[in-house]
Amino acid sequence: MVLTGFGPLVSPAFYGVASGAPPIPADLRIGFLESIDYLNPFRGLNDPSYLLYGAVYDYLFSFDQDGKFVPNLATNAVCSDASCQNWTYWIRQNVKWHDNTPFTAEDVNFSVNYNIKDIFHLWAFEPYINRIVQCDSKLNNLNHCGAIVTSPWNVTVFFDRPFAPGKSLFIPIIQKAQWQGIRPNAAQKTFDNPNPIGTGPFVADSNIYSEWQNHQPIHLLKNANYHPVGNHTGPPSVDNIYLQQFPDEPSLILALKAGAIDLAKLATGYDSLANTPNVGRQEGLLSTQYWNEIGISQYDNNSVHLNPTRFDVNVRRAVAKATNKDFIIQTIYNNKGVRGDTLMSPITPQWWYNASADPSLNLTYDIAAANAMLDAAGYTARVPGIPGCGAVTGGVRALATPGGITVVSDNNKGQNLSYPIAQGTTLAWTMAARLEFKQEQNTASLVASMWAQIGVCLQTKFELESALSNDVYGGGVESYIWYWSGDPDPNYLLSIESGYTLDGWNDNYWNNGLYNSLYVEHLAALDPAKRQDLVFRAEKLHYSSAVYIIYIYPFGQWGYRTDKWSNWGDWNAHPYRQMDAFWGANPLFFDIHYIGASADNPPTKPAITGPSAVYAGQAVAWTANSTDPDPGQTLNWTWSWDDGSASAASHPTSVTEDTQQHTYAIPGRYNITVITSDGTLSATSDRFLVVVSNAPAVHGWINGTVKDPSGAPIHPAVVAAAFASNLTLATESSADTTGHYSLLLGPDTYDLVAVAPLFLPSTKMNIAVAADATQYANFTLTPSQGWVIGKVTNAADGSAVSGAAIYATPAIGSAYAGLSNANGDFNITVAPGTYTVNASATGFYPASMSGIVVTSGVPKTVNIALTPVPGPGISPLLIGGISIAVVIAAIAIAAIFLSRRRKKKEEKEMEVQLPPK
């Protein structure tokens, strides 16, 4: 016989009086190697700075854990004209700034106009705002420029052309009252922002400026009044965040192992954390699109005297083919990354153009082909004895073509510009790499040895990033190793190689007319498929130019404590919960759960009881059971019927079940799911399959009751009818709250079975049903239940632990939950079986006992002692005295820091020609 599936019915535990002691705050301590360089969001460069900004400030839209837009300070955004050139944003109401003043649409209006007011001096977010129409009274456009408040809670932004990525306007929304007196030049260069005021999920400590100046951990407090973002309807689950810089990675890892910090951004120490007790780790592609490239300068200036062979696309393609990216990843990056190619990372597969899969591009590693390309381009002469080029066997290649050649370049002076390369010009370049990043220096040295195999001399120059920036933007080197990163929308990363960002972002000064057109067209493409095609074409064109040789999409690496925090999630499956996801309201800080000092416990997974075979047009009841051990809360129940409809209910947590009726109109197979939520934490049931068929035209009934031995009705309970001839399921019915059920059946003979959680099933055989006649079958079910009882105590002194959450979880099915009373005692009714019993309480590490066997009618005693959580942690200044071995090579602070890209814009006048807006 095919029986319905249902989960256990959970009896309420008896609840004691919770302890009057205040809960230990849920403190999350985050460690990293880079500094928080500025509290001012217009000045910061480093990853930890953007972690801070994303916690304190909000954007109009943020991302869910899968990179999908969710409303933040804007509840909606729509094109306000037919061409989508203007966007109107619905601004969220009833939001407060951290100083408790009202947030208004005027603050959004101010934030946009502040960023476009003087782009030459305030350029921090230029790639996002350079398509917004700047206001100019001479053009008589003051009513159609910048941003305008068009109604009390609407702001319209005017772009200079159709603009598809209207939701990806990633500028932090700043408070007009605080910033209106700060000149843009000061905001970019001198203003420290000693009192950051935002609307974000965390509030800056009143002492943050002193903490920052004295290199102390930066303290952020939970914004208890935080507004809804996406499916998060309340404040974050973290009470306090402490952002802490460490002097080197061994100290960082030691602090994580000792429990002094809870989350660490790693550089190269990932493998050293393998098999570390109570420490989890993850690595994978970064949500920030991060990649490293070899850039080849196209900059032209009267004061620049670089080797002109950099303008020759044949030379660039040859050195690209001589770059063994796989070997670099294997030897320098220890296989911690993916082979690089185009401007968008594989982390966003809808935008990543897989150049390696396109045989027409053919720039993958091939030394023989690279040599052949240089031969065909005329670089067949060899020049020995050049200082610093001894690694090039047989001499450095030089142009042998009599009279030289002329090549074409697209750069800061325009497109299709002709450049002569004289006969005898050698292929001798300089490559700069950052002194702070050892892996980039090692990559430069390895690339020099690779290019030597095709007769190219590459002399390396290792310098501080500030000096490298001057060399790159000032035309001091032919090539360099650097990086970029950005948000998931292609606008940002495609913009930095366009002619529209030659004023201080585009670092190789490539300015291709077709690429510029594709970039502009992709901004205007409202059809996702068309936009994707334009992005792919732009990436392919850029890749084939070889002005960038993107050699790696490196992995981010993280470690975290699993004994104090749970629900870290899978950062590869859901990359936008990585700690590097800086776009405001990071889901991680709402979803992680503080085990050691939990002020909230999750409900158990709902178990659905009810018929799995019903008739179309028949109103049928199903019941779900779920227990939240926290008294005094409200549990919200959401039913999804899989036919486009849903039902909802709310009960106090003392109510552990919800019953809903539903009528399916059309025969078919439907999966019912139930979600229970206490407003912060939620649980989702397994899918409950219901097969809906048409009722028999000719039919009778079997009616009856389902009761316990005392005569009390049993609810929920299900009675199933199967054809006696072959035991195929015919239909099922739920018993109502009085224990009555009714089965509508075609004329035939049936076997019945009645089932209910915590009771043994009972059967009735060979019941004949005739047309328009009723048969009766009453069931009395025998209880089948046991009890998990016990006491929760403090392992340090044996005292009772009140208010501990107890979960008894079987190998299959839903858990049973309860709460310890004032004496530490608990008593949970369960079905017979084998369980794992978990206990957790405020201020204690959790504990569990497995293999707990419960038999019917017998209480099983399980006593659990919880170990108290120690104080706030160990000072990193004292961490060196802890006797824990860290087997790791010592590295400098400047190991691979995967930062969000911010490059220093040149302040001098540059000879650049921007495409017309």
Side-chain angles (χ1 to χ4, degrees):
M1 178 180 287
V2 181
L3 297 178
T4 179
F6 51 87
L9 175 63
V10 183
S11 300
F14 68 93
Y15 297 116
V17 179
S19 169
I24 295 176
D27 295 343
L28 180 68
R29 297 178 179 271
I30 303 176
F32 37 78
L33 296 174
E34 287 186 290
S35 67
I36 294 177
D37 46 354
Y38 292 103
L39 301 179
N40 178 349
F42 295 102
R43 299 181 69 190
L45 301 174
N46 296 338
D47 266 10
S49 300
Y50 281 88
L51 177 59
L52 169 68
Y53 306 150
V56 173
Y57 295 97
D58 277 318
Y59 301 87
L60 294 174
F61 287 83
S62 293
F63 293 117
D64 67 9
Q65 65 177 7
D66 298 315
K68 298 176 182 177
F69 285 110
V70 293
N72 192 322
L73 288 179
T75 59
N76 193 18
V78 297
C79 302
S80 48
D81 66 329
S83 64
C84 217
Q85 188 166 332
N86 308 319
W87 280 77
T88 296
Y89 300 88
W90 272 254
I91 306 306
R92 188 179 298 277
Q93 302 182 39
N94 302 315
V95 174
K96 292 290 185 69
W97 291 101
H98 293 160
D99 62 1
N100 208 36
T101 59
F103 161 77
T104 69
E106 182 55 39
D107 291 305
V108 175
N109 179 60
F110 171 80
S111 298
V112 174
N113 290 326
Y114 189 76
N115 273 274
I116 69 169
K117 184 177 181 180
D118 189 350
I119 291 180
F120 185 79
H121 289 113
L122 184 61
W123 45 266
F125 298 96
E126 181 180 356
Y128 295 116
I129 52 89
N130 63 12
R131 304 260 57 90
I132 297 176
V133 177
Q134 290 188 290
C135 298
D136 188 342
S137 58
K138 296 178 182 179
L139 300 177
N140 195 28
N141 70 347
L142 297 184
N143 292 324
H144 295 86
C145 65
I148 296 176
V149 177
T150 50
S151 73
W153 294 102
N154 285 159
V155 173
T156 297
V157 178
F158 298 91
F159 295 90
D160 63 3
R161 65 196 68 224
F163 193 75
K167 291 184 178 180
S168 60
L169 197 62
F170 287 116
I171 58 173
I173 302 304
I174 55 177
Q175 186 187 46
K176 179 179 180 180
Q178 183 184 30
W179 288 86
Q180 62 184 345
I182 309 298
R183 292 180 295 107
N185 192 42
Q188 188 67 67
K189 299 177 182 177
T190 61
F191 180 55
D192 281 344
N193 194 27
N195 179 32
I197 299 173
T199 59
F202 292 93
V203 180
D205 183 272
S206 59
N207 297 314
I208 190 171
Y209 194 45
S210 174
E211 293 166 356
W212 176 71
Q213 289 177 315
N214 294 293
H215 307 288
Q216 297 173 342
I218 299 295
H219 178 206
L220 307 175
L221 299 85
K222 174 170 68 178
N223 181 357
N225 298 313
Y226 192 59
H227 54 269
V229 175
N231 63 352
H232 298 109
T233 58
S237 58
V238 179
D239 290 327
N240 299 280
I241 289 180
Y242 294 89
L243 303 175
Q244 189 164 338
Q245 182 188 11
F246 284 78
D248 52 55
E249 193 166 34
S251 298
L252 175 70
I253 290 175
L254 189 57
L256 181 66
K257 289 186 173 184
I261 59 174
D262 307 301
L263 173 61
K265 176 66 178 292
L266 305 170
T268 60
Y270 179 82
D271 291 338
S272 71
L273 290 175
N275 303 315
T276 300
N278 300 318
V279 173
R281 58 183 188 147
Q282 296 194 49
E283 64 177 354
L285 290 171
L286 282 148
S287 60
T288 54
Q289 304 277 331
Y290 189 100
W291 38 259
N292 286 100
E293 89 277 0
I294 298 168
I296 300 177
S297 178
Q298 302 300 291
Y299 187 39
D300 182 19
N301 188 290
N302 293 334
S303 62
V304 174
H305 304 287
L306 298 177
N307 191 314
T309 58
R310 62 197 167 94
F311 293 132
D312 191 340
V313 67
N314 295 304
V315 174
R316 297 197 303 268
R317 289 174 176 169
V319 297
K321 290 188 72 66
T323 304
N324 190 339
K325 300 176 183 179
D326 294 334
F327 190 70
I328 292 171
I329 295 170
Q330 177 184 356
T331 58
I332 305 298
Y333 291 86
N334 196 28
N335 289 317
K336 303 296 186 182
V338 174
R339 183 204 297 174
D341 44 25
T342 53
L343 293 170
M344 296 300 290
S345 161
I347 196 72
T348 46
Q350 71 274 30
W351 302 123
W352 170 56
Y353 185 70
N354 184 2
S356 300
D358 186 343
S360 68
L361 295 178
N362 198 25
L363 292 182
T364 53
Y365 176 67
D366 189 331
I367 287 292
N371 274 305
M373 290 176 73
L374 291 177
D375 289 343
Y379 297 91
T380 56
R382 293 281 184 161
V383 179
I386 298 177
C389 297
V392 183
T393 303
V396 177
R397 280 185 182 265
L399 185 67
T401 305
I405 61 175
T406 298
V407 296
V408 173
S409 177
D410 304 313
N411 57 34
N412 53 294
K413 287 193 171 180
Q415 285 92 34
N416 298 315
L417 302 178
S418 296
Y419 289 91
I421 300 177
Q423 182 180 2
T425 302
T426 59
L427 295 182
W429 293 2
T430 298
M431 175 177 285
R434 293 183 290 175
L435 190 61
E436 299 96 329
F437 294 81
K438 187 63 177 176
Q439 285 176 312
E440 294 177 14
Q441 297 170 46
N442 292 341
T443 298
S445 299
L446 186 57
V447 169
S449 67
M450 292 174 178
W451 291 8
Q453 297 178 65
I454 62 170
V456 175
C457 174
L458 191 62
Q459 299 190 44
T460 56
K461 181 181 183 180
F462 302 147
E463 55 188 346
L464 293 173
E465 184 165 18
S466 57
L468 180 140
S469 180
N470 289 332
D471 269 341
V472 170
Y473 283 108
V477 291
E478 286 85 6
S479 62
Y480 52 90
I481 291 180
W482 219 351
Y483 72 101
W484 279 102
S485 60
D487 66 86
D489 189 88
N491 173 31
Y492 183 96
L493 284 175
L494 264 61
S495 77
I496 54 90
E497 278 294 89
S498 75
Y500 297 98
T501 56
L502 288 168
D503 55 344
W505 289 83
N506 186 328
D507 53 14
N508 59 15
Y509 293 94
W510 188 62
N511 180 22
N512 181 274
L514 178 56
Y515 180 92
N516 292 340
S517 296
L518 292 170
Y519 167 69
V520 170
E521 288 180 51
H522 108 278
L523 290 177
L526 303 181
D527 175 44
K530 180 179 179 181
R531 190 172 185 225
Q532 181 189 61
D533 177 67
L534 291 164
V535 170
F536 284 175
R537 289 167 60 191
E539 290 184 276
K540 179 177 180 179
L541 176 63
H542 178 266
Y543 177 83
S544 66
S545 76
V547 289
Y548 271 178
I549 303 170
I550 298 172
Y551 63 87
I552 187 173
Y553 305 110
F555 289 161
Q557 300 178 356
W558 309 272
Y560 45 81
R561 299 293 303 191
T562 57
D563 54 345
K564 293 174 66 177
W565 292 90
S566 65
N567 202 29
W568 291 99
D570 184 337
W571 294 5
N572 285 304
H574 309 291
Y576 296 89
R577 63 189 290 125
Q578 295 172 4
M579 65 172 281
D580 306 81
F582 304 136
W583 300 284
N586 187 328
L588 177 70
F589 302 131
F590 293 81
D591 295 341
I592 56 173
H593 181 57
Y594 196 19
I595 303 170
S598 176
D600 187 19
N601 293 287
T604 59
K605 180 173 70 174
I608 301 174
T609 302
S612 60
V614 301
Y615 298 130
Q618 177 186 23
V620 181
W622 286 268
T623 298
N625 291 94
S626 178
T627 302
D628 191 318
D630 299 318
Q633 292 186 338
T634 297
L635 201 59
N636 303 305
W637 305 69
T638 302
W639 293 72
S640 296
W641 302 106
D642 199 24
D643 62 354
S645 63
S647 303
S650 296
H651 307 294
T653 51
S654 58
V655 177
T656 61
E657 69 179 40
D658 182 63
T659 299
Q660 295 288 331
Q661 277 197 343
H662 186 65
T663 302
Y664 285 102
I666 302 173
R669 296 167 65 88
Y670 300 89
N671 285 297
I672 302 173
T673 57
V674 177
I675 298 175
T676 52
S677 171
D678 61 12
T680 302
L681 303 173
S682 63
T684 303
S685 71
D686 295 329
R687 294 187 300 174
F688 186 95
L689 176 63
V690 177
V691 177
V692 180
S693 60
N694 288 316
V698 178
H699 55 263
W701 297 267
I702 301 178
N703 295 338
T705 60
V706 183
K707 298 184 178 182
D708 67 14
S710 71
I714 297 175
H715 179 271
V718 174
V719 179
F723 294 100
S725 59
N726 57 18
L727 297 184
T728 300
L729 182 66
T731 190
E732 296 179 344
S733 174
S734 293
D736 62 22
T737 55
T738 66
H740 287 85
Y741 74 92
S742 180
L743 293 166
L744 184 150
L745 296 160
D748 212 316
T749 302
Y750 297 91
D751 291 348
L752 305 186
V753 60
V755 292
L758 303 179
F759 289 88
L760 295 175
S762 178
T763 59
K764 303 283 185 181
M765 312 298 288
N766 297 314
I767 300 177
V769 174
D772 297 321
T774 301
Q775 294 277 34
Y776 295 92
N778 297 323
F779 292 88
T780 299
L781 303 188
T782 302
S784 178
Q785 60 191 41
W787 300 269
V788 177
I789 66 172
K791 180 184 287 289
V792 184
T793 57
N794 185 328
D797 58 16
S799 60
V801 176
S802 172
I806 314 297
Y807 291 86
T809 306
I812 300 175
S814 298
Y816 302 81
L819 200 70
S820 65
N821 66 10
N823 299 317
D825 297 322
F826 63 90
N827 184 340
I828 305 175
T829 303
V830 301
T834 302
Y835 292 86
T836 296
V837 179
N838 298 273
S840 62
T842 297
F844 295 88
Y845 290 118
S848 66
M849 298 180 66
S850 58
I852 305 301
V853 178
V854 179
T855 56
S856 180
V858 179
K860 180 68 175 181
T861 301
V862 180
N863 295 321
I864 300 178
L866 299 181
T867 301
V869 174
I874 306 169
S875 167
L877 299 177
L878 303 178
I879 208 81
I882 300 175
S883 178
I884 299 179
V886 179
V887 183
I888 181 173
I891 60 171
I893 185 174
I896 288 298
F897 306 136
L898 304 178
S899 314
R900 173 171 174 169
R901 183 63 173 273
R902 284 290 180 273
K903 290 184 177 177
K904 177 172 171 46
K905 179 176 177 178
E906 294 298 298
E907 297 175 13
K908 63 182 180 180
E909 294 292 336
M910 295 181 293
E911 295 181 52
V912 296
Q913 296 183 8
L914 301 181
K917 296 185 80 173

